[in-house]
Amino acid sequence: MRTARPGSPDVLYRLWYYVRETVVSLWRNLSLTLAAILTVAISLSLVGASLLIREGAERATAQFQEGVEFIVFMVPNASAEQDAAIRNVLDSSPAISRYAYVDKMAAYEEFQRLFTDKPELVESVSPDVMPPSYRIVPNNPEAGNVAEMARQFGEQPGVKEVATATEAIHQIEDFSNRVSQALLVAAVVLVAVSTLLILNTVFTAISARRQEIEVMKVVGATNWFIRIPFMLEGTIHGLIGAALAVPALFVVDDQVLAYFQESDAVPLFRGFAVPDGYIWDTSLWLLAVGGAVGMIGSAVAVTRYTDV
Amino acid sequence: MIKLEGVSKIFKGDVVALKNATAEIQRGEFVFLVGPSGSGKSTFIRLLNREEVADSGRIMVAGKDVGSLSSWKVPYLRRNIGYIFQDYKLLPKKTVYENVAFGLEVIGRPRQVVRQQVPAILELVGLTRKAERLPGELSGGEQQRVSIARAFVNRPLILLADEPTGNLDPATSVGIMRLLDRINRTGTTVVMATHDRTIVDTMRRRVIELDRGVIKRDESRGVYEDGPTGIS
């Protein structure tokens, strides 16, 4: 009597089968495949842009930490007398709890630290042009009080400008919240759309191969053997889409964030940059999300349409 | 090899496909299932490889209780059961060789096995010289031979055939039956649903006649009709 021997593992052969079937299916379905991939790319670009803007905002407000409520920026060529006058007020005023002086060199170092991944930006400045500043922690952090003190300091000779935490942080947070939330809402909708598109693309692929699937079932192919090429197909849609979103992130960084950095209107926006490392990390996340979206979409399709 | 104990299957709308059917088929037997359309022949066959699940009763196939088999084990049951369709179900874009190889590849058999088994089975069904043809270039009888080759290439214990000669002329049908007979003689159990009176009467094998889901007759060397007044 003969029995069906369990097959000895022939991993490469099987792997080749999966790859072949997946590629053939991708080609057969080209227009839907492209639609699915582009939707994933667009939605993940928006997710990425939203994350970059958030991160930029957080970095821009990094100077206002540990209770610093306002910063007095001196002009880079302020005289010693002008500097001493400011310092004198700070030392004697009962309204000031403490303050830190950031000289040109320290400002330059901070700038270097903030823009580690933008050597060309760091090279474009020197310690000479950096404005020294006083980071001031008042006793009363209430907004009206801070605004009044800022106004007074702003009138002193040698002061370039005064940035208050409330004003600056509000500005930046407001900006980043509005933009990134709008992007995020659009992105969430689009991610849902791309999941559905992938589901449909995979479903179309399954329909195109009904006959094959029927034969596979009757000769005893396992469910997973039947499903894996379709799952791979959906996952590839997601991954390619995510991969296309990665260059989009760098474009956002180069064009949008750089625009704020160059703007002279609000000095704080100059901190509005994210290091390349963060962009790469975000890219990895996007790839993971893209792969997951593809896998989920195709998993739903295969479990609904290829069951024994 | 196959055992049905009080098996019933009712489809939606109270259509009785099989009613309290009991039968036992030994290893190496050749069994014809006969009866008018809708008498339950196809359901009988589909229950054996778990394309359908019985509502009541017990079905044993190759030592396994088919009804209570967990679904992930179903493919392994089917690897022991070859299945031949009336309409062949060959994949039109694959050659004869590829169609047969498909039956082994999709159950993960190694390449060496495929390379060994496919030519051997093509030789058995007499299609060695047409290995590189597409199904569309073959006659109906040849296509059915490919289908049989695909069903048998994994050397299953059981062959199920649902009207395998239903689309073929009598002369071609004889050739197909010779092939099935040959496969049966290697020890493979064959269960074949058919309307073909000549074939059943010529071969004189076991006949199970179904009528509205009930086993009406089970004879070891039967003919198509039970008595001269029977209607087909």
Side-chain angles (χ1 to χ4, degrees):
Chain A
M1 166 192 153
R2 301 169 314 263
T3 51
R5 267 186 312 128
S8 58
D10 197 347
V11 179
L12 281 179
Y13 188 40
R14 181 174 290 209
L15 220 60
W16 168 238
Y17 167 84
Y18 289 142
V19 170
R20 197 182 60 201
E21 295 303 302
T22 307
V23 170
V24 165
S25 195
L26 282 169
W27 272 114
R28 243 185 240 176
N29 230 341
L30 201 58
S31 61
L32 260 176
T33 298
L34 287 179
I37 287 174
L38 286 178
T39 318
V40 174
I42 291 167
S43 49
L44 291 184
S45 300
L46 293 182
V47 172
S50 155
L51 290 174
L52 288 194
I53 288 170
R54 245 159 224 251
E55 178 70 12
E58 247 166 59
R59 280 168 185 270
T61 55
Q63 290 164 315
F64 291 97
Q65 277 164 359
E66 294 166 12
V68 172
E69 287 292 340
F70 66 105
I71 302 175
V72 175
F73 287 98
M74 305 300 288
V75 293
N77 54 354
S79 67
E81 292 79 37
Q82 289 169 335
D83 206 49
I86 297 289
R87 204 179 288 256
N88 190 30
V89 174
L90 288 172
D91 285 336
S92 58
S93 166
I96 305 299
S97 159
R98 58 197 154 83
Y99 70 96
Y101 178 65
V102 178
D103 65 16
K104 290 184 179 201
M105 203 54 214
Y108 180 69
E109 277 161 12
E110 187 186 59
F111 189 83
Q112 275 182 313
R113 203 170 59 245
L114 279 172
F115 299 98
T116 321
D117 293 305
K118 299 241 181 314
E120 72 283 354
L121 200 65
V122 174
E123 273 167 34
S124 71
V125 298
S126 64
D128 274 351
V129 302
M130 299 304 294
S133 60
Y134 292 94
R135 306 207 168 161
I136 298 157
V137 182
N139 280 324
N140 176 7
E142 191 260 314
N145 178 50
V146 171
E148 175 55 22
M149 286 198 288
R151 194 188 60 73
Q152 285 170 14
F153 275 105
E155 287 167 353
Q156 301 300 312
V159 171
K160 188 188 178 200
E161 66 190 305
V162 180
T164 65
T166 42
E167 178 197 338
I169 285 176
H170 267 134
Q171 240 174 351
I172 290 182
E173 277 181 349
D174 194 45
F175 167 80
S176 104
N177 279 344
R178 276 166 199 255
V179 176
S180 68
Q181 272 172 14
L183 290 181
L184 213 57
V185 168
V188 165
V189 172
L190 278 171
V191 165
V193 170
S194 27
T195 310
L196 287 176
L197 248 175
I198 289 176
L199 192 156
N200 262 293
T201 311
V202 172
F203 173 58
T204 309
I206 292 171
S207 303
R209 311 180 71 179
R210 279 240 166 277
Q211 239 184 335
E212 267 174 85
I213 293 173
E214 189 181 3
V215 172
M216 286 163 100
K217 281 180 180 168
V218 112
V219 300
T222 58
N223 263 336
W224 282 112
F225 189 88
I226 297 172
R227 288 170 180 176
I228 280 175
F230 296 115
M231 302 261 315
L232 273 181
E233 192 178 337
T235 309
I236 285 174
H237 291 156
L239 286 178
I240 295 180
L244 291 178
V246 170
L249 284 190
F250 283 93
V251 171
V252 167
D253 182 48
D254 266 9
Q255 303 296 317
V256 183
L257 298 191
Y259 170 79
F260 292 118
Q261 287 160 26
E262 284 155 14
S263 108
D264 262 344
V266 192
L268 270 164
F269 270 159
R270 280 190 222 118
F272 212 96
V274 291
D276 283 358
Y278 181 81
I279 302 181
W280 285 119
D281 285 353
T282 309
S283 303
L284 284 183
W285 275 108
L286 293 190
L287 283 172
V289 171
V293 161
M295 222 183 277
I296 290 166
S298 52
V300 172
V302 297
T303 46
R304 280 188 65 179
Y305 302 112
T306 67
D307 245 355
V308 172
Chain B
M1 185 57 44
I2 297 170
K3 200 169 171 186
L4 283 78
E5 289 170 1
V7 174
S8 294
K9 174 74 186 174
I10 298 160
F11 288 109
K12 277 174 198 152
D14 294 337
V15 181
V16 178
L18 216 54
K19 195 171 162 187
N20 199 24
T22 297
E24 189 166 356
I25 297 169
Q26 303 299 330
R27 174 176 303 140
E29 268 197 283
F30 195 121
V31 180
F32 287 116
L33 291 177
V34 301
S37 298
S39 59
K41 303 189 297 292
S42 289
T43 303
F44 191 111
I45 283 183
R46 292 162 65 83
L47 283 167
L48 297 184
N49 79 336
R50 184 78 180 238
E51 278 190 77
E52 301 286 353
V53 180
D55 296 321
S56 60
R58 202 160 78 113
I59 302 172
M60 299 292 292
V61 172
K64 303 223 167 55
D65 187 335
V66 174
S68 65
L69 212 55
S70 53
S71 63
W72 70 269
K73 282 183 177 163
V74 171
Y76 300 95
L77 168 78
R78 290 182 181 162
R79 289 176 192 190
N80 284 317
I81 305 175
Y83 198 102
I84 303 161
F85 303 89
Q86 179 172 1
D87 55 356
Y88 329 130
K89 297 212 188 295
L90 300 178
L91 304 173
K93 286 180 184 166
K94 289 187 189 291
T95 64
V96 166
Y97 183 95
E98 288 165 346
N99 263 286
V100 177
F102 190 74
L104 289 177
E105 283 166 351
V106 301
I107 58 171
R109 305 310 303 274
R111 198 168 4 180
Q112 308 89 276
V113 172
V114 176
R115 282 187 184 147
Q116 235 166 32
Q117 293 295 315
V118 177
I121 206 83
L122 285 178
E123 169 112 45
L124 177 77
V125 302
L127 286 172
T128 303
R129 285 194 300 163
K130 303 207 167 173
E132 298 310 315
R133 299 285 187 85
L134 292 173
E137 301 165 348
L138 304 178
S139 71
E142 287 169 335
Q143 290 189 44
Q144 189 58 290
R145 283 170 187 273
V146 179
S147 159
I148 291 170
R150 181 179 63 195
F152 193 56
V153 71
N154 191 37
R155 311 282 163 167
L157 302 166
I158 299 166
L159 262 193
L160 302 178
D162 196 355
E163 307 270 4
T165 60
N167 291 0
L168 303 174
D169 63 64
T172 311
S173 299
V174 170
I176 294 295
M177 291 318 296
R178 283 219 183 95
L179 181 55
L180 289 179
D181 185 46
R182 202 167 148 198
I183 287 171
N184 174 237
R185 284 174 199 280
T186 66
T188 308
T189 310
V190 178
V191 179
M192 168 173 162
T194 186
H195 275 118
D196 196 323
R197 172 192 314 257
T198 320
I199 285 173
V200 177
D201 290 352
T202 314
M203 290 192 52
R204 298 301 301 266
R205 297 301 184 90
R206 181 171 171 188
V207 171
I208 294 177
E209 183 180 348
L210 287 162
D211 186 15
R212 275 161 288 181
V214 178
I215 294 180
K216 192 175 149 192
R217 176 165 63 104
D218 186 348
E219 291 174 348
S220 60
R221 281 176 63 80
V223 290
Y224 188 78
E225 273 172 322
D226 182 20
T229 53
I231 324 156
S232 69

